[in-house]
Amino acid sequence: MNYLPLGQSDLIVSEISMGCMSLGDDPNQNASLLRHAFDNGITLFDTADLYDQGQNERMVGQAFAGMRQQVILATKVGNRWRPDGSGWDWNPTKAYILQAVEESLKRLQTDYIDLYQLHGGTLDDPIDETIEAFEQLKREGKIREYGISSIRPNVIREWIARSNIVSVMMQYSLLDRRPEETSLDLLHEHKVSVLARGSLAKGLLANKPAKSYLNYTTDEVRQAADAIKAASTTAASTAAVSTVAVSTNRSPVATAIRYVLHHPAVASAVVGVRTQEQLTDVVLSQTSLALTEQEWQQLANALPANQYDQHR
């Protein structure tokens, strides 16, 4: 496993990390899965106060009780559950963030959060006030660093200009190349790391039956999946005659992950895992061959790149 810094911070994260939103309802099974991920080199675990009304944070905290300093815990704030549980409302105010962090700390069984992220964001937010909240929490030692989780280029630009974020979590895959238009290069230029979620495109790039995705038709999704499989087969045959000490079996999962890790802005691919079988596939990806520039370009040429049509 490779480990990279988040932005210019001292947070060092595994290049493949675990998105905990996909966890099931069994705390014991989840704890086993999370600990197995850690035992295989994964150090960054991402959750949010929104997931399962805080239960997801609670399970992550329980899984790593007694070994807190060995893992990087990331969580998110900004979506406030209504008292009756009927849904949630957007609340990026300073007062709410300072209140919400205390609840997340309790659920995670810790006195600090490694990476605290705004779970969304719009240009209508009180951005400077939100930044003040994060900066205050850093001074108080309740968080080590902060970032945002956003796919909106206009919001990302504002946060780059006005804050000290170390990361932006965004959806990015062969079937969602919108970040390639401007965001990846801009973030790399400003030394802000990307946490790429959705690299498997809901499993469509890893053997799930093809169906439409974003602006791509079912046939186009199948075309992208076939390109991933072809790149995996080529890697296996190339590695078989190589002296490089890496796996000769770059699976479709590994190839899809390697696609997003190719850009230097991306520090980690955040992969959702629910079962031991899925975790095994993800863990094997860490020893797979990186994509060559030619391989990456061949994959990129499989479909026309999509672009943002809003929030530009």
Side-chain angles (χ1 to χ4, degrees):
M1 182 75 75
N2 293 323
Y3 298 87
L4 298 169
L6 273 188
Q8 300 183 77
S9 76
D10 60 358
L11 293 180
I12 307 298
V13 301
S14 51
E15 68 174 358
I16 300 173
S17 48
M18 188 161 170
C20 300
M21 183 178 70
S22 301
L23 292 174
D25 299 325
D26 187 330
N28 292 329
Q29 181 178 335
N30 291 335
S32 175
L33 202 62
L34 291 164
R35 293 293 288 267
H36 189 199
F38 172 78
D39 290 341
N40 282 275
I42 292 175
T43 59
L44 172 61
F45 298 86
D46 177 76
T47 180
D49 59 3
L50 179 68
Y51 304 157
D52 297 328
Q53 300 189 32
Q55 182 62 22
N56 195 269
E57 283 184 324
R58 190 171 288 110
M59 287 191 292
V60 172
Q62 290 172 350
F64 295 118
M67 51 179 295
R68 172 66 185 91
Q69 294 185 349
Q70 299 179 60
V71 295
I72 301 294
L73 296 184
T75 192
K76 310 183 196 74
V77 66
N79 294 293
R80 186 176 194 172
W81 279 98
R82 297 173 192 140
D84 63 2
S86 62
W88 59 87
D89 300 303
W90 180 237
N91 190 342
T93 63
K94 180 178 180 179
Y96 176 64
I97 291 172
L98 297 181
Q99 169 192 331
V101 72
E102 301 296 339
E103 298 304 315
S104 286
L105 289 168
K106 290 177 186 176
R107 288 189 291 262
L108 289 166
Q109 299 185 33
T110 183
D111 56 3
Y112 70 94
I113 293 166
D114 295 293
L115 179 65
Y116 205 32
Q117 302 159 100
L118 185 67
H119 203 171
T122 74
L123 292 183
D124 295 327
D125 293 345
I127 295 176
D128 290 331
E129 177 184 328
T130 307
I131 293 169
E132 285 177 12
F134 287 132
E135 291 289 350
Q136 178 177 326
L137 292 174
K138 277 193 70 175
R139 290 193 301 270
E140 294 174 349
K142 293 179 180 178
I143 67 173
R144 292 176 66 188
E145 300 292 349
Y146 64 94
I148 62 173
S149 177
S150 177
I151 61 173
R152 298 179 173 186
N154 55 4
V155 171
I156 291 169
R157 286 195 299 270
E158 286 299 310
W159 277 81
I160 288 175
R162 296 157 70 171
S163 77
N164 295 309
I165 56 171
V166 300
S167 64
V168 175
M169 180 175 287
M170 61 174 63
Q171 182 168 294
Y172 178 40
S173 73
L174 182 60
L175 285 171
D176 188 354
R177 295 176 56 199
R178 294 174 294 177
E180 293 176 9
E181 184 182 1
T182 60
S183 294
L184 293 181
D185 288 342
L186 178 66
L187 288 164
H188 185 54
E189 175 188 349
H190 288 273
K191 297 181 172 62
V192 177
S193 292
V194 172
L195 299 175
R197 61 177 177 83
S199 56
L200 303 181
K202 297 184 177 180
L204 295 173
L205 296 174
N207 299 321
K208 275 195 175 181
K211 63 178 181 179
S212 60
Y213 185 82
L214 297 178
N215 61 309
Y216 293 120
T217 66
T218 299
D219 285 342
E220 288 174 322
V221 169
R222 187 177 295 111
Q223 186 175 331
D226 287 345
I228 289 283
K229 291 176 183 176
S232 303
T233 302
T234 301
S237 62
T238 301
V241 294
S242 172
T243 59
V244 180
V246 294
S247 170
T248 59
N249 179 24
R250 189 206 284 152
S251 67
V253 169
T255 300
I257 291 173
R258 288 293 166 192
Y259 180 87
V260 303
L261 289 174
H262 188 76
H263 196 285
V266 180
S268 188
V270 184
V271 184
V273 173
R274 190 180 183 91
T275 67
Q276 185 60 55
E277 181 181 5
Q278 291 171 345
L279 179 59
T280 298
D281 286 341
V282 170
V283 165
L284 288 174
S285 301
Q286 67 180 293
T287 59
S288 66
L289 287 166
L291 297 180
T292 65
E293 191 64 38
Q294 181 180 8
E295 286 176 318
W296 188 91
Q297 197 59 58
Q298 287 174 341
L299 287 170
N301 290 339
L303 291 174
N306 43 13
Q307 297 181 341
Y308 292 109
D309 56 7
Q310 298 178 3
H311 313 295
R312 298 178 63 89

